[in-house]
Amino acid sequence: MSLLEVMVAIAIMLGLIVIAVPATRSLFELQQRDAARKLAMQLERFHDEAVMRNRCFRFTFYLDENRYTIEPGEAGALISAGPEEREEYEASVQRKLALMDEEQRRAWKHSNRQPFEVLEVAGKMEVELPRSIRLGGFYSPQYGHMVKPGDVLPNQEKDQPLKVYSYVMNTGLSEHTIIWLVSAKDPTSGYSVEVEPLSGVVRLHGDLVDPDDAFDFVPETGPSLPN
């Protein structure tokens, strides 16, 4: 090939790269937004189903495995109000189990199953995220902070996957929950799906919402009342 032909070929390749890179970036952003929108729609759907069917639903997010599951349960599921209560309960369970033999443990676990475990086989739904998207973090009052991939929770069993839970109650009440869906190449960029406490209203944000800033709009003190 002559020098001119080589230069023309290089110019064409550079032109294709200039066109392809933004197109690829737009495709990843579209996949990210679609995954966040799908999760938001599922949270809304199961909020309505919880009330209509008088059932609870549990969303389990596997932060290191990039997937989540949705499980139905009977009404009356119990959740912790904060990280201290959750850790205290889990520690008390471990103390009880340590005093039992294997047969007693199996019997105790069977009689104390969460309502989700009873219906797990029949109604469990699993969602795998696209490779370009990651679960970047999860917040609910049970944990008290944004849990991120690679974290180790108190009382987490060795070699067990990191999983966190969000619940939708049969009364229609929901936990304040924030889920980050981030780019696989840039964990600082992504979308947030937020479930407002009590009402269960689901909001989709085009950035990563910090739980500490979620209620900045609420004044620290109430209005002064006339005497």
Side-chain angles (χ1 to χ4, degrees):
M1 295 177 66
S2 67
L3 180 59
L4 180 60
E5 289 173 327
V6 171
M7 293 177 64
V8 170
I10 292 174
I12 293 173
M13 291 175 61
L14 290 175
L16 291 174
I17 292 173
V18 169
I19 296 172
V21 169
T24 303
R25 185 181 298 115
S26 298
L27 177 61
F28 287 158
E29 289 177 356
L30 182 62
Q31 289 179 336
Q32 200 173 37
R33 185 176 61 190
D34 285 347
R37 185 180 297 167
K38 179 179 180 180
L39 174 57
M41 291 175 64
Q42 287 171 331
L43 287 163
E44 288 179 340
R45 169 193 164 190
F46 285 103
H47 174 270
D48 294 340
E49 282 203 29
V51 177
M52 291 188 295
R53 297 170 57 189
N54 192 33
R55 281 191 176 176
C56 300
F57 288 92
R58 179 173 70 180
F59 284 70
T60 305
F61 296 89
Y62 295 81
L63 296 184
D64 292 330
E65 298 180 1
N66 217 40
R67 63 187 178 93
Y68 61 91
T69 59
I70 307 167
E71 302 158 274
E74 298 294 349
L78 299 177
I79 58 176
S80 302
E84 293 82 7
E85 292 83 355
R86 179 178 59 82
E87 292 169 17
E88 182 179 347
Y89 171 76
E90 291 175 352
S92 68
V93 169
Q94 293 302 319
R95 288 195 296 269
K96 288 180 182 177
L97 294 176
L99 300 174
M100 303 177 187
D101 59 31
E102 191 61 33
E103 185 176 346
Q104 290 173 326
R105 288 194 195 99
R106 283 198 299 268
W108 187 90
K109 289 180 179 179
H110 180 78
S111 61
N112 289 272
R113 287 182 299 175
Q114 271 272 32
F116 305 97
E117 297 170 357
V118 178
L119 299 176
E120 181 176 4
V121 176
K124 186 174 180 179
M125 177 189 301
E126 184 162 344
V127 180
E128 194 86 26
L129 292 174
R131 292 183 179 181
S132 60
I133 302 165
R134 295 287 182 271
L135 287 167
F138 176 92
Y139 166 83
S140 82
Q142 292 184 75
Y143 306 98
H145 66 283
M146 182 62 73
V147 183
K148 298 180 180 179
D151 288 354
V152 178
L153 295 175
N155 300 318
Q156 179 181 335
E157 295 183 17
K158 187 178 180 180
D159 299 326
Q160 289 295 311
L162 174 60
K163 53 185 178 180
V164 288
Y165 304 102
S166 179
Y167 296 86
V168 181
M169 310 307 290
N170 59 300
T171 57
L173 300 179
S174 298
E175 296 182 281
H176 182 218
T177 304
I178 297 175
I179 307 108
W180 287 351
L181 295 175
V182 301
S183 167
K185 295 183 177 180
D186 182 8
T188 64
S189 172
Y191 289 81
S192 299
V193 178
E194 180 180 13
V195 182
E196 292 187 354
L198 303 181
S199 69
V201 172
V202 181
R203 300 190 182 280
L204 180 59
H205 303 273
D207 57 357
L208 302 183
V209 174
D210 188 333
D212 295 333
D213 300 332
F215 294 102
D216 280 351
F217 63 91
V218 179
E220 293 184 1
T221 58
S224 57
L225 298 176
N227 296 328

